[in-house]
């Protein structure tokens, strides 16, 4: 891989929104790390390695910033047309309880109001309380306790009536 190909790879990674890409070939290893949107900093590491049998490419890791407006979204199917879907504003581990020995924040059938804590999502050793932005009744919990969640993944269905 020559310097022009490396520069093109850096430009591609910067435009894709990925924060980190690792590429390992027979005789070298490249790590490209970019910072959040709005800054122009790009770090590239090129390292010579001993011979390896096959090239490997690690998929880019995209980290999205949570926004409050993305927490509540429109319904997705006809059966759930009258319900509001509460979505995850961050990537992390979903917990229905504040601690293992405590009761769950909400159950199916629970009546909630704006600002009520629905769950906790752990991200990078920080526990983030996810609060409801709508009032209503919990119809369905869409994620199992202690399971990983992605950004914008549906967590709860709420009946606003």
């Amino acid at each position: 891989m020559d310097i022009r190909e490396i520069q093109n790879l850096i430009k591609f990674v910067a435009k894709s929104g990925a924060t980190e890409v690792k590429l390992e070939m027979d005789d070298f290893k490249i790590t490209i790390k970019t910072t959040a949107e709005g800054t122009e900093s790009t770090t590239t590491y090129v390292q010579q390695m001993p011979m390896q049998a096959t090239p490997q490419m690690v998929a880019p890791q995209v980290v999205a910033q949570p926004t409050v407006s993305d927490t509540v979204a429109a319904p997705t199917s006809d059966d759930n047309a009258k319900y509001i879907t509460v979505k995850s504003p961050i990537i992390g581990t979903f917990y229905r309880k504040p601690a293992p020995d405590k009761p769950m924040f909400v159950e199916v059938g629970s009546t909630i109001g704006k600002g009520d804590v629905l769950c906790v999502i752990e991200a990078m050793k920080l526990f983030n309380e996810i609060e409801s932005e709508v009032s209503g009744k919990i119809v369905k919990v869409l994620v199992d306790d202690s399971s990983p969640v992605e950004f914008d993944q549906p967590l709860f269905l709420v009946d606003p009536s």
Side-chain angles (χ1 to χ4, degrees):
M1 196 171 216
D2 66 3
I3 192 72
R4 191 173 313 131
E5 290 173 314
I6 294 171
Q7 288 174 337
N8 288 336
L9 182 61
I10 292 169
K11 289 176 187 174
F12 174 78
V13 170
K15 288 180 184 176
S16 73
T19 57
E20 182 176 348
V21 173
K22 293 180 182 180
L23 176 65
E24 296 183 31
M25 299 296 272
D26 292 338
D27 57 345
F28 66 93
K29 176 180 175 181
I30 298 175
T31 302
I32 302 172
K33 294 182 181 181
T34 59
T35 57
E37 287 187 46
T39 59
E40 296 292 323
S41 176
T42 301
T43 305
T44 304
Y45 302 102
V46 177
Q47 177 182 5
Q48 294 291 84
M49 294 181 55
M51 296 294 259
Q52 290 183 337
T54 59
Q56 301 174 359
M57 180 147 185
V58 178
Q61 299 172 350
V62 178
V63 178
Q65 297 290 39
T67 58
V68 176
S69 62
D70 290 336
T71 305
V72 178
T76 56
S77 71
D78 292 339
D79 294 340
N80 301 327
K82 62 183 178 182
Y83 304 133
I84 295 173
T85 304
V86 177
K87 295 184 177 184
S88 176
I90 56 177
I91 297 171
T93 304
F94 173 85
Y95 295 104
R96 295 186 62 195
K97 305 182 221 180
D101 58 339
K102 302 285 183 187
M104 294 192 185
F105 288 110
V106 294
E107 298 277 354
V108 173
S110 298
T111 302
I112 59 168
K114 286 185 180 181
D116 288 353
V117 177
L118 301 175
C119 63
V120 173
I121 297 180
E122 177 190 6
M124 296 174 49
K125 304 292 181 197
L126 295 175
F127 290 87
N128 303 285
E129 290 184 341
I130 306 304
E131 297 177 351
S132 175
E133 293 194 7
V134 296
S135 295
K137 182 178 176 182
I138 299 290
V139 175
K140 190 170 185 181
V141 179
L142 304 170
V143 180
D144 293 329
D145 192 34
S146 303
S147 62
V149 293
E150 297 293 326
F151 171 73
D152 214 28
Q153 178 177 343
L155 303 175
F156 300 95
L157 288 181
V158 178
D159 185 357
S161 55

